Structure formats: C-alpha cells, structure tokens
Amino acid sequence: MSAPKRREQLIAVARKTFAERGYDGTSVEEIAARAKVSKPVVYEHFGGKEGLYAVVVDREVTSLLDRIARALTGDHPRVLVEQAALALLDYIEGDTDGFRVLVRDSPVGSGGSFSSVLNEVAHQAESILDREFKSRGYDTKLAELYSQALVGMVALTGRWWLDVRKPRKEVVAAHLVNLAWNGLSHLDAKPSLTPGSKADD
C-alpha cells in the first residue's frame, strides 16, 4: 500500500475508533491492530495518537462547516435558520461517526473541537441576526448573544437526536425553527426578568 493510501486508511480506522471509544479510550495499539499495521507505522505518519486525532477532527470540522456554508442559500432569515438546522441534522445522520468524534471529550489543550465548530457557525448566524436586528431597531450588539443561543439550542438538540433519531430530522428542524423563529418574531426590544425571579445579591 502506498504511503498516501496507508495514511487515508489509518485516518478512516482512527475516525471509527475515536467515534466508538473516545480519545481517552482509544490507543495507538488498537488503531494499529484494526489497520493491521505495526505501531511504528502510525507514529511514522502522525507522530502519535494526538496527531492522528487532530487530523481526524480537522477533517470533520471542515466537512461540517462546508456543509452548513453550502446549505445557506436562502435570502430570508427564517429560511437560513431552517437550512442551518437541517444541515447539522443531515451531517449527524450521514456522518454519525464524525459527529461522535466532534462531540466526545477532546484531549486537554485541543481547544474543544465541537465548541470551535459552534463558534464558527454562531459567527455566521451573528451576521444574519445583525441585519435582522437593524431592520427591527434592536441593539445590534446583542446579535452575538442571540446567535450563540440559537446555535446552542440546535447543537444540543442535535446531540440528543444523535441517539434517539425520532422524530424525523425534518420534523426536528421544523420544531427548532418554530421555537426560534416565533420567539424571534415577538422579541421584546428591552427584555427583563419578571420581579421576584432575580438571584439574591
């Protein structure tokens, strides 16, 4: 097997193993055994488990962000929210192992792969919300807060749906957008907590 083909084989085996067992539960020995190579072959290509994990995560991050970017083709904020939610659910359905790698615990110092993806998606959502806030006369400085809230809602629901797979992804996306959009369409310009619900000082 050529070096590039061996590298791709090791990445595919590692992706499956990290998805099943997580970073801490995976060893170079196990990856080598599953790939039917010796441990030094893994070290030669990636320098060790952390290097191999970084390559797998980088590919998954790129794949998910590309999928979401390609999906955002609408010209109305509601359509864009629908497209983003469906893109994430499509990724979970079609690349389950990749999503499992992203949401599992990552090694200390890796920056948290899934949180990095969410921050990038939230940044894209922020620019959409910024335009919507301007048109409604809301404080655009709060677009970042709302984008984080929206993306977090979709991401946590996606993690839940990863295992249950019911209802269908289109139904899940419709309900997410229902909650997000109908809430957004009736935002208070200056929301506040109801009296008595504030934490004690």
Side-chain angles (χ1 to χ4, degrees), residues 113-147:
S113 53
F114 194 51
S115 64
S116 298
V117 172
L118 296 184
N119 282 332
E120 180 60 34
V121 174
H123 181 68
Q124 293 179 21
E126 184 182 345
S127 63
I128 296 165
L129 289 179
D130 187 68
R131 290 193 306 268
E132 191 69 12
F133 277 30
K134 278 180 188 165
S135 72
R136 293 172 184 247
Y138 297 150
D139 184 354
T140 57
K141 290 183 287 201
L142 294 172
E144 182 178 9
L145 183 156
Y146 280 94
S147 69

Side-chain angles (χ1 to χ4, degrees), residues 45-125:
H45 282 276
F46 303 99
K49 182 171 80 166
E50 191 169 311
L52 180 50
Y53 179 82
V55 170
V56 170
V57 167
D58 185 59
R59 284 188 176 195
E60 293 308 318
V61 168
T62 300
S63 173
L64 178 54
L65 290 177
D66 285 350
R67 188 181 290 238
I68 291 172
R70 284 193 313 269
L72 298 178
T73 59
D75 57 359
H76 188 278
R78 180 179 177 135
V79 173
L80 292 168
V81 172
E82 289 173 355
Q83 290 171 337
L86 263 178
L88 177 62
L89 294 171
D90 282 341
Y91 175 77
I92 293 169
E93 183 177 63
D95 291 299
T96 301
D97 283 346
F99 187 72
R100 285 190 194 282
V101 169
L102 291 178
V103 299
R104 281 192 178 271
D105 293 335
S106 52
V108 174
S110 70
S113 53
F114 194 51
S115 64
S116 298
V117 172
L118 296 184
N119 282 332
E120 180 60 34
V121 174
H123 181 68
Q124 293 179 21

Side-chain angles (χ1 to χ4, degrees), residues 148-170:
Q148 291 288 338
L150 279 170
V151 170
M153 178 181 73
V154 173
L156 284 175
T157 303
R159 287 181 81 161
W160 163 78
W161 189 76
L162 172 67
D163 294 319
V164 298
R165 300 297 173 105
K166 289 180 183 179
R168 289 182 357 263
K169 68 183 175 193
E170 294 82 6

Side-chain angles (χ1 to χ4, degrees), residues 26-39 42-43 49:
T26 299
S27 67
V28 171
E29 290 86 354
E30 183 175 5
I31 292 168
R34 286 184 177 198
K36 296 182 174 52
V37 299
S38 63
K39 279 175 31 179
V42 177
Y43 286 106
K49 182 171 80 166

